[in-house]
Amino acid sequence: TGAQQSATVANPASGASPDLLPHFQLEPEDVYIVKNKAVSLACRATPATQIYFKCNGEWVHQGDHITQHSTDRSTGLPVMEVRIEVTRQQVEKIFGLEEYWCQCVAWSSSGTTKSQKAFVRIAYLRKNFEQEPTAREVSIEQGIVLPCRPPEGIPPAEVEWLRNEELVDPALDANVYVTPEHSLVLRQARLADTANYTCVAKNIVARRRSSSAAITVYVNGGWSTWTQWSGCSTSCGRGWQKRSRTCTNPTPLNGGAFCEGQNVQKTACTTLCPVDGAWSEWSKWSECGAECTHWRSRECSDPAPRNGGRDCHGPELDTRNCTSELCTHAAPGAEDVALYVGLVAVAVCLVLLLLVGVLVYCRKKGGLDADVADSSILTAGFQPVSIKPSKADNPSLLTIQPDLSTTTMTYQGSLCPRQDGPAKLQLPNGHLLSPLGAGRHTLHHSSPAAEGADFVARLSTQSYFRSLPRGTNNMAYGTFNFLGGRLMIPNTGISLLIPPDAIPRGKIYEVYLTLHKQEEVRLPLAGCQTLLSPIVSCGPPGVLLTRPAILAMGHCVEASAENWSIRLKKQSCEGTWEDVLQLGAEPCTELYYCQLEAQACYVFTEQLGRFALVGESLSMAASKRLKLVLFAPAACPSLEYNIRVYCLSDTQDVLKEVIQLEKQLGGQLIGAPRVLHFKDSYHNLRLSIHDMPSSLWKSKLLASYQEIPFYHIWSGLQPFLHCTFTLERLSTSTCELACKIWVWQVEGDGQSFTVNFNIAKDTRFSDWLVPDNEVATPALVGPSAFKIPFLIRQKIISSLDPPGTRGADWRTLAQKLNLDSHLSFFASKPSPTAMILNLWEARHFPNGNLSQLAAAVAEVGKQDGALFAVSEAEC
């Protein structure tokens, strides 16, 4: 509004008294013209002989004044009151130039007096708000600010708020207040605050309403506590028990997020089965007693009752009369005693004679030739062709290694068995390599038929190439025939073994093996499933294999039958992932089998394709192995220094990728990796840094710790999760850093990294990492791909596949190699021995101890009572 000023100015006449100057009893006040209605201005003064209005510096015409005279009763002085009317047209004439104002001037015999200025304005209120409140969704107890800037108006509009068309009164609700800028503030959102809010602006002209803003106060769900474990699902034997929780603490409301995680947990349980007791066989009848009775007994021990089982029913003792000649009350005579002694002596002699005869027979039947070697079946192939194997007690037979360094391996003649008799474990006659022709045979160690670019160019013409990664960094490839071979992706622990005769004779296949990055392949995971291995492809699809190939890859699971359900998944031609095998369960097909070991799994497959190992935890005791690795910059020109802590799945392929990434970033490894067991407890992983010398370093981390969400780690689909600790050294001369980094799962055990290194030194990657220039050859073809020589392998297979006496066959070999848990799988194949040797090759290449395998095979031969001998003279 315009300035309110008192304009009392006295111009007294000469010799007049100041008390007779006019003074105003009523002065004109500011007014607003509403629409087209004229406004009235009035003033009253005493003593006054004349009063006139002056508007915008010009006198108002005398005829426009309405004058009224009276007398002040208290003083007796004359009082004059004057009114004028101001119209909208008068004000609009000077609109935009200045404000319209009017002022009274009163006269008396002593002088004049001016009143304050009264401003006359045209009142209005525009329709559009300068800012309106907007709809929002807020969490309960969160603060809310609804802005409102009313439309422009004269006089300025007053603002009030409506909640669902009811007036919001801050005086009645301490949770609400309105700011001087007219914004409505809710200090803490309540469920009752969910409503439509409207900002109302009003002045003397009009009343305007803003658009309604819908405020939704939502509640995110929270888990209740777990219920008690239910009873075991079976009253006898192995079953399941479960517990549950509900998303009711609190229940999600108004679109709040539902609880993350599973609402049911299962765990294995075993209930002892009741075993009813059963009687053992009756004992023999006792001697006939003096009372002409004898007895027999039995026990409730076949089985004995346990775990609440029922006892046996019936008598434990049975007696009956005996009326034979043994029933006598007299003691036996001397003649009877002599008779009994004689009969016993004759029986003992007969038994001794029988034993002597059996030993002599066995000695003749199993006699050993002086030149027979107990391990010759495996070691004969290691000898030069002109040297006859030595005796069995020569230890050098088990230690001579095959020469795999050359590109060809040559064998002269054939390996034939000794023909000592039909009772010995026989080896097949003739040449083991008869398909190659007679006489001298050469097995070539071939190399890939083309360079990587040519191979990828040929692959690009195939439909399945679209799903393979571009480039050859994580790919191995080669050309293979019936001799088989091996593909390996360096520094990843991933390999593919193609055993001999897996490819039909006369066929030649170009085979590839590739490692996929998680972002390249979409592997859907449901519930609490987690990826436990790399995603690996071998192909091409549709290759016909007559025997299973073995795909080896690492995993990060701490396997336990009661904590995990582990499945082998394979991607179909349509792109969907299917469960082809559940580990620990009876396989539903003979096409796939998996041997799970502590750090790696070996997948037998007769169909090439894309594979991955996926697990589902059955209890919170299930855990995955994580590898924690620290990197820091190799050079630090500034005061700021970063330490990166990676949280990786404990497989070689992920570690290789991180190392390659850090080399590009110029990082250096700080210490050796650590292994952390990450449990399925829904708790996040936390990392913090401690024990830095405060006089040299300070941390720029605002919080006390950093946190990696549980599901980001557990899924296994985000391979390079890490936290960065940003430090600042107080001086560029500081080169030593000593600190401790703690890593722990909430409510779980933690581990600490003691960091102590020199920034100025050029720290190289530790010795436990295999340099890129020292990796193994990605492709090996033919005999050089195997530890066991081809001919020796064939003789072992032909000797141990047929059932042997006393079980001295492939089953005994599996036991000695600790593979007896897979006997049913081996037995389902045409050659169980070949399966055992293939698995041994996959597990032990290139550092397997061939002498131990030779000793195991020799033990099988001894168990049959017949040993193998192979020499040049016997061929």
Side-chain angles (χ1 to χ4, degrees):
T1 61
Q4 302 293 327
Q5 60 178 356
S6 177
T8 302
V9 180
N11 295 311
S14 176
S17 173
D19 293 337
L20 297 180
L21 286 174
H23 68 275
F24 287 97
Q25 295 178 340
L26 175 66
E27 294 184 82
E29 295 181 349
D30 295 344
V31 291
Y32 296 94
I33 297 176
V34 178
K35 298 184 179 178
N36 294 318
K37 295 180 180 179
V39 295
S40 177
L41 298 177
C43 64
R44 186 171 58 245
T46 184
T49 57
Q50 294 292 336
I51 298 178
Y52 289 100
F53 273 93
K54 194 175 187 179
C55 294
N56 279 66
E58 297 182 1
W59 295 104
V60 178
H61 193 275
Q62 183 178 1
D64 294 332
H65 290 74
I66 301 174
T67 305
Q68 183 177 355
H69 296 275
S70 62
T71 302
D72 189 343
R73 294 179 181 180
S74 60
T75 61
L77 296 176
V79 177
M80 180 179 287
E81 182 174 343
V82 178
R83 293 180 181 273
I84 65 170
E85 287 189 350
V86 180
T87 64
R88 185 184 184 99
Q89 289 78 6
Q90 291 175 286
V91 176
E92 286 180 341
K93 284 182 181 179
I94 63 168
F95 179 76
L97 301 176
E98 56 180 276
E99 290 188 298
Y100 192 93
W101 57 269
C102 293
Q103 185 180 36
C104 276
V105 181
W107 283 266
S108 70
S109 60
S110 299
T112 61
T113 304
K114 295 180 180 180
S115 71
Q116 67 181 7
K117 288 183 178 181
F119 290 88
V120 181
R121 299 179 177 89
I122 299 174
Y124 67 92
L125 184 63
R126 301 195 185 280
K127 293 183 179 180
N128 296 327
F129 281 72
E130 295 184 11
Q131 184 178 10
E132 295 185 289
T134 56
R136 292 182 59 189
E137 294 183 355
V138 296
S139 175
I140 193 168
E141 298 184 353
Q142 181 180 341
I144 305 175
V145 178
L146 293 176
C148 177
R149 294 174 59 189
E152 179 187 351
I154 294 179
E158 297 178 354
V159 171
E160 62 184 16
W161 285 88
L162 302 179
R163 178 195 288 134
N164 289 343
E165 302 303 321
E166 294 183 1
L167 182 64
V168 177
D169 189 355
L172 301 179
D173 189 349
N175 192 48
V176 178
Y177 71 93
V178 178
T179 68
E181 294 78 19
H182 311 299
S183 297
L184 179 66
V185 177
L186 304 178
R187 290 183 173 89
Q188 288 185 324
R190 303 159 297 189
L191 290 176
D193 294 326
T194 298
N196 292 323
Y197 289 81
T198 307
C199 179
V200 178
K202 61 182 180 179
N203 66 2
I204 59 177
V205 178
R207 188 172 187 266
R208 310 292 189 200
R209 290 168 55 97
S210 70
S211 300
S212 295
I215 298 300
T216 303
V217 181
Y218 63 86
V219 179
N220 291 326
W223 287 115
S224 65
T225 57
W226 288 102
T227 62
Q228 297 294 324
W229 287 104
S230 66
C232 202
S233 61
T234 59
S235 58
C236 174
R238 182 179 175 86
W240 301 96
Q241 58 182 162
K242 64 180 182 179
R243 64 177 183 176
S244 61
R245 57 180 179 176
T246 57
C247 191
T248 56
N249 186 32
T251 302
L253 295 174
N254 297 334
F258 197 79
C259 305
E260 293 186 357
Q262 57 184 6
N263 62 342
V264 177
Q265 282 186 342
K266 295 193 302 180
T267 185
C269 58
T270 302
T271 306
L272 296 177
C273 299
V275 178
D276 296 335
W279 291 113
S280 64
E281 296 291 334
W282 286 101
S283 66
K284 294 183 179 180
W285 288 101
S286 67
E287 297 290 340
C288 196
E291 294 80 10
C292 287
T293 61
H294 59 175
W295 56 271
R296 63 178 181 175
S297 64
R298 59 181 179 175
E299 296 179 349
C300 189
S301 59
D302 191 24
R306 62 179 182 272
N307 303 331
R310 292 175 295 182
D311 289 332
C312 303
H313 295 285
E316 292 181 317
L317 193 66
D318 183 21
T319 61
R320 70 179 181 183
N321 293 328
C322 51
T323 56
S324 65
E325 59 184 12
L326 296 178
C327 180
T328 175
H329 294 281
E335 295 83 357
D336 294 334
V337 173
L339 177 61
Y340 296 152
V341 171
L343 291 174
V344 170
V346 170
V348 170
C349 292
L350 290 175
V351 170
L352 292 175
L353 290 174
L354 181 61
L355 289 175
V356 170
V358 170
L359 290 174
V360 171
Y361 175 80
C362 291
R363 183 83 174 187
K364 293 180 179 180
K365 195 71 175 176
L368 303 180
D369 186 86
D371 292 330
V372 174
D374 59 352
S375 62
S376 58
I377 182 174
L378 187 62
T379 58
F382 293 93
Q383 311 303 317
V385 294
S386 60
I387 301 177
K388 185 177 180 180
S390 304
K391 295 185 179 181
D393 57 356
N394 186 352
S396 64
L397 287 175
L398 302 182
T399 59
I400 301 175
Q401 298 295 316
D403 182 11
L404 300 182
S405 61
T406 60
T407 57
T408 61
M409 298 186 67
T410 304
Y411 300 92
Q412 178 68 40
S414 62
L415 301 179
C416 302
R418 295 177 62 89
Q419 305 296 330
D420 289 322
K424 287 192 177 182
L425 189 59
Q426 298 296 321
L427 300 179
N429 292 322
H431 295 291
L432 291 176
L433 296 178
S434 54
L436 298 178
R440 188 176 182 86
H441 305 294
T442 302
L443 304 180
H444 293 280
H445 167 200
S446 61
S447 59
E451 295 297 328
D454 296 336
F455 186 83
V456 173
R458 287 194 300 275
L459 281 179
S460 61
T461 62
Q462 307 297 324
S463 60
Y464 55 81
F465 179 74
R466 293 191 300 270
S467 62
L468 295 178
R470 301 300 180 261
T472 58
N473 290 336
N474 286 325
M475 177 182 287
Y477 44 86
T479 305
F480 300 90
N481 58 12
F482 76 96
L483 294 175
R486 184 188 307 265
L487 292 175
M488 294 169 289
I489 301 178
N491 296 339
T492 63
I494 299 172
S495 65
L496 178 67
L497 178 74
I498 304 175
D501 292 328
I503 297 176
R505 293 176 182 261
K507 298 285 187 179
I508 297 178
Y509 293 146
E510 284 187 336
V511 181
Y512 65 83
L513 175 67
T514 184
L515 166 66
H516 294 273
K517 296 180 180 178
Q518 277 84 347
E519 60 268 22
E520 297 173 344
V521 179
R522 178 171 176 80
L523 175 62
L525 299 177
C528 53
Q529 289 182 338
T530 174
L531 181 63
L532 301 175
S533 73
I535 302 175
V536 180
S537 290
C538 53
V543 165
L544 176 63
L545 298 178
T546 58
R547 295 185 181 180
I550 302 178
L551 174 65
M553 55 186 177
H555 67 78
C556 61
V557 62
E558 288 296 309
S560 181
E562 62 272 13
N563 295 334
W564 284 97
S565 172
I566 302 176
R567 301 174 185 272
L568 177 67
K569 286 184 174 286
K570 182 176 184 289
Q571 192 173 31
S572 66
C573 298
E574 292 78 16
T576 59
W577 287 87
E578 302 170 347
D579 294 338
V580 295
L581 181 66
Q582 180 175 357
L583 275 65
E586 195 67 28
C588 56
T589 175
E590 294 184 356
L591 294 177
Y592 309 99
Y593 190 77
C594 185
Q595 154 82 358
L596 188 69
E597 298 187 354
Q599 302 287 334
C601 64
Y602 300 91
V603 179
F604 291 78
T605 175
E606 296 182 16
Q607 293 183 352
L608 302 184
R610 185 169 298 158
F611 296 92
L613 206 62
V614 172
E616 182 175 2
S617 62
L618 302 178
S619 73
M620 288 192 294
S623 65
K624 293 175 61 176
R625 289 191 320 275
L626 302 182
K627 183 156 288 185
L628 303 172
V629 192
L630 274 65
F631 286 92
C636 182
S638 64
L639 295 177
E640 193 173 275
Y641 197 71
N642 295 325
I643 295 179
R644 293 180 290 275
V645 183
Y646 287 85
C647 177
L648 314 173
S649 297
D650 187 16
T651 55
Q652 294 183 40
D653 60 291
V654 179
L655 183 59
K656 173 188 175 182
E657 291 291 331
V658 170
I659 291 171
Q660 292 176 346
L661 174 63
E662 279 293 330
K663 283 185 177 180
Q664 296 174 1
L665 297 177
Q668 64 178 352
L669 184 70
I670 306 176
R674 308 285 182 88
V675 173
L676 175 70
H677 293 87
F678 189 75
K679 293 186 177 180
D680 182 17
S681 61
Y682 308 109
H683 294 306
N684 300 337
L685 191 70
R686 291 182 176 177
L687 304 94
S688 61
I689 189 166
H690 306 275
D691 300 344
M692 283 190 307
S694 58
S695 60
L696 301 176
W697 295 85
K698 68 177 182 179
S699 173
K700 300 184 71 173
L701 183 67
L702 298 180
S704 58
Y705 60 84
Q706 298 191 66
E707 199 166 49
I708 302 178
F710 169 81
Y711 286 99
H712 290 182
I713 299 176
W714 188 256
S715 68
L717 297 177
Q718 301 186 40
F720 305 141
L721 291 171
H722 70 279
C723 287
T724 299
F725 291 96
T726 301
L727 311 179
E728 184 176 359
R729 50 181 175 168
L730 304 182
S731 171
T732 54
S733 62
T734 301
C735 294
E736 295 289 339
L737 173 60
C739 63
K740 184 174 291 185
I741 295 179
W742 272 99
V743 183
W744 76 99
Q745 193 174 6
V746 181
E747 297 185 11
D749 297 331
Q751 291 189 15
S752 66
F753 288 78
T754 301
V755 178
N756 195 342
F757 65 100
N758 191 313
I759 300 174
K761 294 182 179 179
D762 182 15
T763 305
R764 299 183 180 274
F765 289 93
S766 301
D767 294 338
W768 55 268
L769 296 174
V770 179
D772 290 340
N773 57 357
E774 296 182 10
V775 299
T777 305
L780 294 174
V781 183
S784 62
F786 304 98
K787 292 282 290 183
I788 307 172
F790 186 84
L791 301 182
I792 302 301
R793 168 193 170 91
Q794 296 298 92
K795 281 196 172 291
I796 296 175
I797 292 173
S798 61
S799 301
L800 298 186
D801 271 350
T805 59
R806 305 179 186 177
D809 50 26
W810 62 270
R811 289 180 290 269
T812 305
L813 179 61
Q815 290 176 344
K816 293 186 178 299
L817 298 179
N818 298 319
L819 300 176
D820 46 330
S821 59
H822 311 294
L823 293 180
S824 58
F825 169 71
F826 296 148
S828 66
K829 299 303 176 183
S831 175
T833 309
M835 293 297 101
I836 296 173
L837 298 181
N838 294 343
L839 181 55
W840 187 92
E841 290 277 9
R843 295 170 68 190
H844 296 91
F845 189 87
N847 301 318
N849 191 330
L850 206 58
S851 298
Q852 293 181 355
L853 178 62
V857 175
E859 287 294 324
V860 177
K862 291 179 181 178
Q863 190 167 331
D864 190 50
L867 303 181
F868 307 113
V870 180
S871 69
E872 190 69 28
E874 294 165 340
C875 295

